[in-house]
Amino acid sequence: GSSVAIAHDSRIKSDLFAKTAAQVFAANGLTVHFYKELMPTPMLSYAVRALHCDAGVVVTASHNPAKYNGYKVYGPDGCQLTLDASEQVLQNIEQTDLFSGVKKMDFDAALQQGLICYIGDDVIQAYLDAVYSQSVHPELLRQTDLRVVYTPLHGTGNKPVRAILKKAGVKQVIVVPSQELPDGNFPTAPYPNPEIRQAFEQALLLAKTEQPDLLLATDPDCDRVGIAVRSGDEYVLMSGNEVGALLLDYILRERKAAGTLPAHPVAVKTIVTTDLAQKIADSYGCEVRNVLTGFKFIGEQIGLLEQNGQADRYIFGFEESYGYLSGGYVRDKDAVDASLLICEMAAFYKQQGKTLLQVMDALYQQYGYFVHTQLNFAFEGISGMEKMQQIMTRLREQVPASVGGLTVQAVCDYESSQKRETATGAVTPITLPKSNVISYLLKHAASAIVRPSGTEPKIKVYVTAVGQSHEQAQQCSQQIAADMTALLQA
């Protein structure tokens, strides 16, 4: 028969929603594998594949404010559903009468009949072993005196992240007491999002007395992690693009040195994620695959490699919004894995007397200073949706000659799947699923990518500027941002 795995986070009523889903699946004759306590999203992706389930569900709203909750659905490959499969599910929902069409059975009765069974500690242990096997230098953390302040932001990371850091031998992990226990009201972090400085406030206070090398914050469903790094008496937050670039460089260089790098390594990133990744990868002969925004598309690439018997070629995948994954054991971003790798990398450079900030600066000096900015434009209500469509159409039809003083050299339209060179009019196909995204490729490797949000009534613009100094790149970024703002508000 068919089976489904279910997990939930710390949000208000997440446990109730997860149990209710289990009761419905059981009543319809599906076997349900149910985690008996809250678990990170990647651990659901792991369970789907480890237990050979046909689907998976995690009840979470990731890093949104407390009033949100949501329902993520996974396919048998451990990836979030693709667009076609989601459409199918939606059609089935629409054909079901909400009041009389839903079968449901008692949870305890389903347990007794074996229609619901709890996921055992063996699966949790196997997951932690799989994460630990991603270590590049397995003994390094035992030998280094690394001090870490960690906050799970009232979410699911508390147990697994601490377990993996303990397993790796990190001697000093200080957990932020006010944010240690699960609490769906997020009393100390109204926006429990590691991209935002406010999420680090409690950790930064603790850092004053504890003086750690590193601050780690995982979001409530523990699939994303943010860091802050000690610089003198200050702590500097690093972006998702920077941490991803650092990890890619560390994994490539150190696996090459250790002789564990595959012959034709593959890294995967989303189209809105830093092009610095390409430059780093090039210097190690590593292929970079660019995919649409959404980690399921990174997971899909691991699946494609696996189908060709080449799963070990995949070495790292990341997106600018703080999602990372270094192995094919799950198919979603994994902050347990990323927390381990970040600590190991920090320890590796600490042994050399360097901080991650200094290493990042060396990468910028080598490859150019990349500055990434994200602009958000909100459009409320029904009229807002129409306005967003009009803007996207205009940006396609009326391409500016230059943006921020830089010539527009090419336009990538991911809806018509075409890249067009502006000077020659030459067109090359884009081999990605159709998506409402436009990218202006500018002179000096700069760019502006425009995409309406998939979850909110807003248009996001991702600006990339590259310069020979941080100041120069910053200035260039501001000029592109000013022009893009004018274009969107015209």
Side-chain angles (χ1 to χ4, degrees), residues 3-9 13-27 30-49 51 53-60 70-74 107 110 115-120 123-124:
S3 63
V4 56
I6 300 183
H8 68 83
D9 68 5
K13 292 202 165 75
S14 275
D15 53 346
L16 173 67
F17 296 148
K19 278 193 157 167
T20 307
Q23 291 172 280
V24 174
F25 285 126
L30 282 90
T31 307
V32 178
H33 297 277
F34 199 86
Y35 272 118
K36 50 179 171 283
E37 60 178 342
L38 68 170
M39 286 289 162
T41 291
M43 289 179 75
L44 185 274
S45 175
Y46 183 80
V48 167
R49 293 175 70 249
L51 300 166
C53 295
D54 299 282
V57 168
V58 57
V59 179
T60 176
Y71 189 95
K72 284 185 186 174
V73 185
Y74 289 72
F107 191 86
L115 281 165
I116 297 177
C117 47
Y118 286 120
I119 294 173
V123 175
I124 296 171

Side-chain angles (χ1 to χ4, degrees), residues 172-407:
Q172 309 176 69
V173 179
I174 304 119
V175 180
V176 176
S178 62
Q179 296 175 336
E180 178 180 357
L181 299 178
D183 186 339
N185 293 301
F186 308 120
T188 60
Y191 295 96
N193 182 350
E195 291 181 70
I196 299 172
R197 191 176 179 89
Q198 194 276 325
F200 279 90
E201 264 173 22
Q202 300 287 315
L204 288 163
L205 283 173
L206 192 58
K208 283 197 170 90
T209 52
E210 295 293 347
Q211 298 284 296
D213 301 290
L214 193 64
L215 306 183
L216 281 182
T218 53
D219 70 340
D221 70 326
C222 195
D223 59 358
R224 310 189 323 156
V225 57
I227 69 168
V229 177
R230 187 171 169 183
S231 171
D233 293 335
E234 289 297 301
Y235 285 86
V236 179
L237 269 64
M238 296 189 82
S239 73
N241 276 321
E242 290 180 322
V243 173
L246 281 168
L247 283 170
L248 180 64
D249 179 67
Y250 171 72
I251 289 167
L252 282 168
R253 178 169 14 86
E254 292 311 304
R255 282 190 62 176
K256 192 174 179 179
T260 59
L261 193 65
H264 303 284
V266 173
V268 190
K269 72 174 193 69
T270 60
I271 55 175
V272 297
T273 298
T274 184
D275 297 320
L276 176 55
Q278 184 71 59
K279 293 200 166 189
I280 291 166
D282 285 346
S283 60
Y284 296 101
C286 174
E287 178 192 340
V288 176
R289 296 186 180 178
N290 282 283
V291 295
L292 294 176
T293 310
F295 219 88
K296 61 187 162 198
F297 297 114
I298 295 177
E300 187 177 37
Q301 291 299 320
I302 304 174
L304 292 172
L305 286 167
E306 191 177 53
Q307 279 164 27
N308 300 325
Q310 303 176 337
D312 62 338
R313 284 180 62 196
Y314 172 80
I315 54 138
F316 191 56
F318 78 107
E319 56 184 6
E320 46 51 70
S321 55
Y322 295 56
Y324 318 96
L325 177 67
S326 71
Y329 61 97
V330 297
R331 300 291 154 89
D332 208 340
K333 49 193 180 281
D334 186 352
V336 184
D337 168 52
S339 296
L340 170 69
L341 290 173
I342 289 165
C343 288
E344 187 187 296
M345 173 171 74
F348 176 82
Y349 292 123
K350 187 176 180 178
Q351 283 190 341
Q352 299 179 0
K354 297 182 210 163
T355 71
L356 293 180
L357 292 164
Q358 290 165 326
V359 180
M360 191 67 227
D361 208 57
L363 286 178
Y364 283 143
Q365 279 173 26
Q366 189 176 349
Y367 299 114
Y369 283 82
F370 283 70
V371 169
H372 300 278
T373 326
Q374 194 181 321
L375 314 172
N376 287 294
F377 302 92
F379 301 91
E380 296 300 334
I382 298 286
S383 62
M385 296 305 278
E386 288 165 11
K387 184 104 170 86
M388 280 164 63
Q389 275 312 55
Q390 286 163 6
I391 290 170
M392 295 304 287
T393 304
R394 193 180 73 230
L395 292 176
R396 285 186 167 91
E397 291 170 357
Q398 303 169 16
V399 177
S402 69
V403 175
L406 300 172
T407 316

Side-chain angles (χ1 to χ4, degrees), residues 371-373 375 377 400 402-408 440 442-444 446-448 461-467 469-488:
V371 169
H372 300 278
T373 326
L375 314 172
F377 302 92
S402 69
V403 175
L406 300 172
T407 316
V408 177
Y440 292 155
L442 313 173
K443 206 173 150 187
H444 302 318
S447 66
V461 180
Y462 300 82
V463 174
T464 296
V466 190
S469 68
H470 189 73
E471 295 70 37
Q472 192 191 355
Q474 197 75 44
Q475 202 175 350
C476 174
S477 171
Q478 282 163 356
Q479 287 168 331
I480 297 170
D483 276 7
M484 290 308 293
T485 303
L487 276 175
L488 261 81

Side-chain angles (χ1 to χ4, degrees), residues 55 78 109 127 147 203 323:
Y127 163 81
R147 267 176 91 74

